[in-house]
Amino acid sequence: MIPHIPYWIPTVLLATALAVKLPTFARAWRDPDVRATTVLLASATAVLVVITPVNIERLNRLTGVPNIASPWAYSFLTAFCATGLTMIIRWREEPSERRARRMRRIYWAYAGVVAALWGTFLLADAPEPRIYDLDTYYANTPWMREHILLYLTAHMVSCLVAAYLLWKWFPQIGNRWLRTGVVLQQLGYASGLLFDAAKLTALGARWSGTDWDALSTKAAPPFALLEAILVALGFLVPQVGPFLQRWVRDQREHRRLRPLWRAVRVLGASAAPARLGFWAPLDLRLMQRRQRIHDALRLLGPYFDGGLYDKAYAAALPAHGTAGAGAAAGAVVVRAALDAHRAGAPPAVEARDTRTGALVTDDIEAVSRALGHPRTVDTLRRRLTSTESPITHA
């Protein structure tokens, strides 16, 4: 009995990647890289959708044509191969007429393969629907034999050429995301070659009168699924990786600025930007948070006490080091300035401490992290002010 293969897992993964990519395609469909990536994801997803056993049965039933899933699946597989090759060429070579000519030749060659796939299928006599073992069952059937060999040959050639191009290119790549993508693609195309080897061995056994069908029905499919996932990921990682890296960095900064933002948001900035919701782009929300903090710190500038900063810095230096002491001193000064502002003390613009203001605003993330530990800041502040009179601002 043929074991159940979880086709839905790679299908869902690729379909999700395609869905995530579609908004980018809608915005930048003129970009050749965006178009090629979308076509590659779409063709890989289509192959997995069509070869799912339940969908093969549906196609046979809906169209009334036995084995119609074969030319459909192999056509999408051929489109996947052509797009993968052209994307590798696009990445390896600078734009030129020679590059464009090579890519056109690949597309035309594989378009010819697609036409031949449909032609051989229409000429073949394959009345018995086969869900799992079509390749070996019809291995000796005129035109179906050519149909099967055609898709396997086109697929094997694309895997060999792609693997060779990537192997030659790999030593020249410096970008770590691109190197990761190339490694994933190499593994994917290696899986594709194992798929071809298993299929061709099973076909050869049929031609010699031996039954090695298990190589085609059991051994080969997992390699096809693995190829689709790895190659698609190989093309996605160099594009998505830098974006995710920026997103993680921005998310971390957005979170670290939260204590300082919460502390100063009670101040009414003179020109507060429009309120952004949670679903607004992260980089826009981060920019707004930074802007609101800087606006609030400008309002607090007349209340900054340079003497308090210096004393807090000296007190925190032994325990926190240079960077930690500066952050702790900035947090103490900000808390004191907020208290003075709430108390209604008049700001003295002409006596503004620009040095302390610069020290606070130059590293708002560190000051915010210090404010995230209010007990430490309060303890340090009490130590400094317990023997002094309340701070006044002349």
Side-chain angles (χ1 to χ4, degrees):
M1 181 176 177
I2 304 297
H4 174 68
I5 298 174
Y7 289 91
W8 67 270
I9 296 176
T11 304
V12 168
L13 289 174
L14 289 172
T16 302
L18 178 61
V20 170
K21 196 69 178 176
L22 283 177
T24 305
F25 175 73
R27 292 193 306 268
W29 63 271
R30 294 180 183 274
D31 187 326
D33 287 341
V34 172
R35 286 203 307 269
T37 304
T38 306
V39 170
L40 182 130
L41 289 172
S43 56
T45 305
V47 171
L48 296 182
V49 169
V50 174
I51 67 172
T52 303
V54 65
N55 289 332
I56 293 176
E57 292 180 339
R58 285 192 184 122
L59 275 173
N60 289 338
R61 185 175 66 254
L62 291 173
T63 62
V65 180
N67 305 306
I68 189 64
S70 174
W72 275 114
Y74 299 156
S75 296
F76 287 130
L77 179 62
T78 302
F80 174 79
C81 294
T83 307
L85 278 176
T86 56
M87 283 190 69
I88 293 171
I89 293 173
R90 191 186 305 278
W91 283 3
R92 287 179 76 244
E93 303 176 15
E94 294 295 328
S96 66
E97 179 56 35
R98 178 177 176 273
R99 189 187 77 167
R101 188 165 56 248
R102 290 179 67 190
M103 291 191 296
R104 284 196 298 269
R105 286 173 180 171
I106 290 172
Y107 281 127
W108 278 112
Y110 278 83
V113 171
V114 171
L117 283 170
W118 282 94
T120 52
F121 178 79
L122 292 174
L123 290 170
D125 182 21
E128 180 67 25
R130 307 303 299 182
I131 304 301
Y132 298 100
D133 62 346
L134 180 140
D135 292 349
T136 50
Y137 186 85
Y138 288 110
N140 292 305
T141 301
W143 294 114
M144 276 303 287
R145 176 181 57 232
E146 288 75 15
H147 177 78
I148 295 162
L149 282 175
L150 185 61
Y151 97 82
L152 284 174
T153 302
H155 180 258
M156 183 173 61
V157 169
S158 73
C159 287
L160 287 170
V161 173
Y164 173 76
L165 292 175
L166 293 169
W167 178 72
K168 294 285 288 184
W169 184 37
F170 185 78
Q172 307 169 24
I173 302 172
N175 183 283
R176 68 186 182 95
W177 290 110
L178 188 53
R179 288 175 72 90
T180 302
V182 168
V183 170
L184 289 170
Q185 290 174 53
Q186 286 278 43
L187 294 173
Y189 287 120
S191 299
L193 289 172
L194 291 174
F195 165 84
D196 295 327
K199 285 282 186 179
L200 289 171
T201 302
L203 290 176
R206 275 279 184 162
W207 295 334
S208 62
T210 307
D211 185 353
W212 286 0
D213 289 9
L215 287 174
S216 176
T217 57
K218 295 182 179 180
F223 290 116
L225 301 181
L226 192 60
E227 179 196 5
I229 294 172
L230 290 174
V231 172
L233 284 176
F235 284 114
L236 281 173
V237 163
Q239 301 177 54
V240 177
F243 167 78
L244 289 178
Q245 188 176 24
R246 288 193 300 271
W247 186 88
V248 170
R249 182 191 62 210
D250 290 349
Q251 183 67 39
R252 186 184 300 117
E253 184 178 354
H254 191 266
R255 185 178 64 253
R256 287 175 176 173
L257 289 177
R258 181 177 176 83
L260 180 56
W261 170 73
R262 287 175 64 89
V264 301
R265 66 178 177 174
V266 295
L267 301 175
S270 57
R275 182 179 180 82
L276 298 176
F278 176 78
W279 297 108
L282 177 59
D283 57 346
L284 190 57
R285 288 187 285 125
L286 176 60
M287 181 178 67
Q288 185 186 65
R289 179 162 289 187
R290 287 198 201 107
Q291 186 60 50
R292 286 185 171 176
I293 288 172
H294 282 290
D295 286 346
L297 292 179
R298 277 195 292 270
L299 292 175
L300 289 177
Y303 297 94
F304 288 155
D305 188 323
L308 179 61
Y309 181 93
D310 293 337
K311 291 175 183 177
Y313 181 88
L317 187 59
H320 300 283
T322 303
V332 168
V333 167
V334 168
R335 289 287 294 274
L338 282 168
D339 289 347
H341 183 275
R342 291 193 192 98
V349 178
E350 59 275 7
R352 181 168 180 159
D353 186 352
T354 56
R355 180 187 68 91
T356 305
L359 290 170
V360 172
T361 57
D362 282 350
D363 196 356
I364 57 175
E365 188 175 330
V367 173
S368 183
R369 284 200 304 269
L371 284 170
H373 300 85
R375 290 185 180 179
T376 303
V377 175
D378 289 342
T379 300
L380 179 60
R381 189 178 171 198
R382 281 196 299 270
R383 284 170 53 195
L384 297 173
T385 59
S386 59
T387 59
E388 299 177 5
S389 59
I391 299 171
T392 60
H393 298 263

